[in-house]
Amino acid sequence: MARAATLDPTAPATASTTPLFDLPYMPVEKRALPAGRPREWYIAHNRRLKAMRLAIVLLDAGVWRPEQAHDRTIRLAAERVGIHPPSPVTCHMVRALMRYSR
């Protein structure tokens, strides 16, 4: 019976139990990007953020290896979570992130 209580994410944590995750997650408040940088910097920054989000989505979906993450798979994952379809460069960056995180 005590085991079932630890699996309930909404149950309050006690000294003997640790929550599996805390709900609800609130998105981080967006802040303006620093001004005065070249346009290419902003493009690269947003591309990296998008690639990181897509890599997380793919890992959550069970795509663990870069060889499994074809452009079509990445684009379907983006569509599923409501992200604009990534370019081939962004798809390549997603695979690179998955490769170098090992």
Side-chain angles (χ1 to χ4, degrees):
M1 198 66 145
R3 175 82 177 133
T6 61
L7 295 178
D8 182 12
T10 58
T14 62
S16 63
T17 64
T18 56
L20 295 175
F21 51 91
D22 40 343
L23 290 174
Y25 284 109
M26 297 298 294
V28 179
E29 184 178 330
K30 291 187 178 185
R31 295 180 298 176
L33 291 174
R37 304 221 182 197
R39 186 172 194 281
E40 293 79 25
W41 183 89
Y42 296 103
I43 293 170
H45 176 77
N46 289 331
R47 189 183 306 272
R48 282 191 300 271
L49 291 178
K50 186 176 196 175
M52 284 188 270
R53 283 194 303 267
L54 287 170
I56 291 168
V57 167
L58 289 169
L59 290 170
D60 287 344
V63 178
W64 303 104
R65 303 183 57 85
E67 303 85 41
Q68 297 171 318
H70 303 289
D71 286 359
R72 179 170 162 70
T73 307
I74 296 170
R75 289 190 178 107
L76 286 173
E79 182 182 328
R80 201 174 315 129
V81 294
I83 299 175
H84 285 281
S87 68
V89 174
T90 305
C91 291
H92 179 77
M93 192 177 288
V94 169
R95 285 188 290 275
L97 283 170
M98 294 173 79
R99 186 174 298 116
Y100 295 120
S101 66
R102 299 187 158 266

